[in-house]
Amino acid sequence: MNEPPEGLSRPESVDPASDAKPADAKPADARLAALVAEYVDRVNLGERIDRDAILAVHPDLGRQVLEKLAIYQGIELGSDDNQPKSIGDYRILRPVGRGGMGIVYEAWEGSMDRPVALKVLPPGVAADPKTVSRFVREAQLAGKLRHPNVVPVYGMGIRQGTPFYSMELVDGKTLAQILARLKAADGKEAERKTILQGVSGLFGKGVSAAHDAPVVPEVPALGPKSPLESGDFDLEYYARLAKAFAGVAEGLQHAHSKGIIHRDIKPSNLILDCEGRLRILDFGLARLEGQESLTLSGDFVGTPQYMSPEQARRKKIEVDHHTDIYSLGATLYEMLALQPPFRGKDHADTLSQIIEREPVEPRKINPSVPRDLETIVLKCLRKEATDRYGTAEALGQDLQRFARGDAVEAKPRPVWDRTFRRAWQSRGKLAAALCVLLLLVLSGLMLQDRLARLERGIQDRYREKVLGAVLKLELGLS
């Protein structure tokens, strides 16, 4: 998408083709934009923002962050007062949600006579050039992609100071919405089964020629049936889930082949459409390999529970396509276990767990999870990027193997390796235990030495008494 469709224009105030900072941009401006983006993401996740904590942690920029958050949060999705009636060629119908720092509306594109999803930057937020740059980059990067598992962008522009871009209006539910229903039904087996049947049915629709081998004449099966034909409801569900995630992996491979890294794969950014395809949304944190990021080194980029260890460390290191493989694995983990791989008491604790701890095996939480699918997920979640799948394509192929009932290429870690990692993960407790043991040993040795000295003293005194008595006896006889 080199030029926007007729009737749309590019923003004049930014260079959308560049990720570099303007020459006159101050570090504080970049920090402010990054902080606002972080807290907006946290608001979108449902977190309640603590005003006093923001002021305490960021004394220099806290008030400005709060002002921008107030503008963003002040736009109620159901309020007719805040909702525009139209933007350019688009007639606004109703709000459908939030995405990153934008509001997403269902709209009607008059010139093309079709429904679209229109993402709009609110006026107060759009006043910040850095935020507009990020918004434009999101539209441009997504606009480069054409894949069945990526929601396409149609066009972008600015009208009356309001940046916007249009994309396909997808009829479906995000994985975050599906997970919320499954978690609410946890412990209610009948309700959970009903939800899973509906989701499994949708996943089943997504089994298309694009993801399957070419059709060949049927021959009698000589070996065991594939999971999709097993008649076991749980196994069929997991096979369909794996095929759906294989489609997402293929979509990511398409993005990676164009140098685009998403950096924020999570349940709310994956939508299951009515045709059973799992599709990627929201490229707001994406970056193009070889270009400078819009966020500063060390800034918080991504959603904590699904961030890779290299993202969580927030060091000046290259974050490549392996981070998307990790995040997709973390999302699949949550679909299996109904909880993310790591969940601390706060953001800092979550990040620490991602860096330091090994995830609990999904089968320990949900024994119905097939062992091979667990192995695939755990390979995605390895700490070292090079220990994961080399490409998203390789991940997708392994998920397809599992769905067909073939042997997967991922192998579980050796027992000695898992034991060592658990020991390293608990090294603090082990060190404390060793200190206690050492103290007990030293105390025992000191006590033993004390008792030995007491015994020697008793023996010496006894010997002196005996010698004294013998001496007296000899003197008396003489």
Side-chain angles (χ1 to χ4, degrees):
M1 187 181 68
N2 295 324
E3 294 298 333
E6 186 178 353
L8 299 182
S9 62
R10 293 192 188 278
E12 298 290 338
S13 59
V14 296
D15 175 7
S18 172
D19 278 343
K21 295 184 294 183
D24 59 346
K26 297 179 181 179
D29 295 334
R31 279 189 59 222
L32 177 61
L35 286 171
V36 172
E38 172 192 340
Y39 284 111
V40 165
D41 287 339
R42 289 162 68 169
V43 167
N44 289 336
L45 285 169
E47 181 179 337
R48 295 188 66 181
I49 298 300
D50 186 332
R51 179 186 178 87
D52 294 334
I54 291 177
L55 291 173
V57 175
H58 309 288
D60 54 337
L61 297 174
R63 292 194 179 280
Q64 296 176 66
V65 170
L66 290 171
E67 287 171 3
K68 290 185 178 292
L69 285 176
I71 293 171
Y72 180 75
Q73 291 181 291
I75 301 171
E76 297 296 334
L77 289 182
S79 171
D80 291 335
D81 295 336
N82 292 316
Q83 178 177 314
K85 304 300 180 186
S86 65
I87 299 178
D89 190 34
Y90 301 94
R91 178 165 56 89
I92 305 298
L93 301 177
R94 66 184 182 92
V96 292
R98 298 182 187 268
M101 299 191 70
I103 309 296
V104 182
Y105 297 99
E106 179 182 348
W108 189 265
E109 186 179 8
S111 61
M112 299 299 291
D113 196 29
R114 64 181 175 184
V116 298
L118 194 68
K119 189 169 183 178
V120 179
L121 265 189
V125 180
D128 177 46
K130 202 77 175 181
T131 303
V132 175
S133 294
R134 177 180 169 185
F135 186 81
V136 171
R137 182 186 62 178
E138 174 184 353
Q140 286 203 313
L141 292 183
K144 293 176 183 290
L145 306 176
R146 286 292 179 269
H147 190 276
N149 293 91
V150 178
V151 176
V153 166
Y154 296 147
M156 70 174 179
I158 283 186
R159 283 294 181 273
Q160 298 176 340
T162 301
F164 64 90
Y165 69 83
S166 64
M167 53 191 162
E168 180 186 344
L169 180 65
V170 180
D171 181 14
K173 298 287 186 184
T174 67
L175 287 191
Q177 292 171 313
I178 293 170
L179 278 166
R181 290 188 62 197
L182 286 171
K183 290 175 183 180
D186 195 24
K188 306 170 187 174
E189 188 57 30
E191 186 178 344
R192 171 187 166 277
K193 195 75 173 280
T194 300
I195 296 170
L196 286 179
Q197 284 173 342
V199 174
S200 184
L202 273 178
F203 283 144
K205 286 184 180 180
V207 179
S208 63
H211 296 143
D212 286 326
V215 176
V216 296
E218 280 194 31
V219 294
L222 299 177
K225 292 182 178 179
S226 75
L228 290 169
E229 302 168 334
S230 66
D232 182 316
F233 172 78
D234 283 340
L235 190 55
E236 287 184 11
Y237 167 74
Y238 290 124
R240 289 174 174 175
L241 180 66
K243 287 186 78 70
F245 270 77
V248 177
E250 291 166 13
L252 284 174
Q253 180 63 35
H254 174 68
H256 296 165
S257 70
K258 295 184 178 295
I260 297 171
I261 305 164
H262 190 284
R263 299 201 299 174
D264 198 25
I265 294 293
K266 58 185 176 182
S268 60
N269 282 341
L270 296 176
I271 187 166
L272 180 62
D273 68 19
C274 59
E275 295 179 357
R277 285 178 300 180
L278 200 53
R279 306 173 73 184
I280 304 169
L281 293 165
D282 198 345
F283 281 76
L285 293 183
R287 67 181 289 268
L288 193 63
E289 287 184 319
Q291 288 189 340
E292 185 180 348
S293 173
L294 281 178
T295 53
L296 295 175
S297 173
D299 284 332
F300 190 90
V301 178
T303 304
Q305 293 173 338
Y306 311 97
M307 287 172 65
S308 65
E310 56 268 30
Q311 283 178 299
R313 290 188 185 99
R314 292 187 278 182
K315 293 181 180 178
K316 192 174 182 180
I317 58 173
E318 187 73 17
V319 174
D320 62 15
H321 64 281
H322 290 96
T323 198
D324 286 344
I325 293 171
Y326 180 98
S327 298
L328 186 60
T331 302
L332 180 53
Y333 181 106
E334 188 166 5
M335 288 296 294
L336 302 178
L338 295 187
Q339 65 182 52
F342 304 101
R343 182 171 52 195
K345 59 181 182 292
D346 54 31
H347 281 65
D349 188 34
T350 299
L351 296 179
S352 176
Q353 289 184 22
I354 289 171
I355 296 168
E356 298 290 341
R357 295 189 183 180
E358 292 297 318
V360 176
E361 291 88 341
R363 285 171 56 84
K364 289 186 177 179
I365 303 169
N366 178 7
S368 71
V369 173
R371 193 174 300 278
D372 280 351
L373 188 55
E374 176 185 77
T375 300
I376 290 172
V377 169
L378 293 178
K379 183 177 176 70
C380 293
L381 297 180
R382 291 182 180 173
K383 301 298 183 192
E384 294 299 325
T386 52
D387 288 342
R388 301 171 206 150
Y389 287 96
T391 63
E393 181 182 23
L395 167 58
Q397 289 173 349
D398 231 9
L399 288 168
Q400 293 282 13
R401 289 187 190 95
F402 166 77
R404 291 194 303 264
D406 297 340
V408 300
E409 291 193 351
K411 303 299 179 190
R413 286 190 181 276
V415 174
W416 65 266
D417 187 45
R418 295 199 301 271
T419 303
F420 173 78
R421 288 174 183 277
R422 289 194 186 100
W424 180 252
Q425 180 177 310
S426 305
R427 61 189 181 279
K429 294 178 182 178
L430 285 173
L434 286 173
C435 287
V436 171
L437 180 62
L438 182 61
L439 183 62
L440 289 173
V441 170
L442 290 175
S443 299
L445 291 173
M446 290 173 64
L447 178 61
Q448 186 178 7
D449 181 64
R450 174 71 173 167
L451 291 174
R453 280 186 289 160
L454 286 173
E455 186 175 354
R456 285 197 299 272
I458 292 171
Q459 290 175 351
D460 289 344
R461 286 193 294 273
Y462 180 75
R463 187 179 298 107
E464 289 176 0
K465 288 181 179 180
V466 170
L467 289 174
V470 171
L471 182 61
K472 286 182 182 179
L473 183 61
E474 288 178 349
L475 290 173
L477 291 174
S478 62

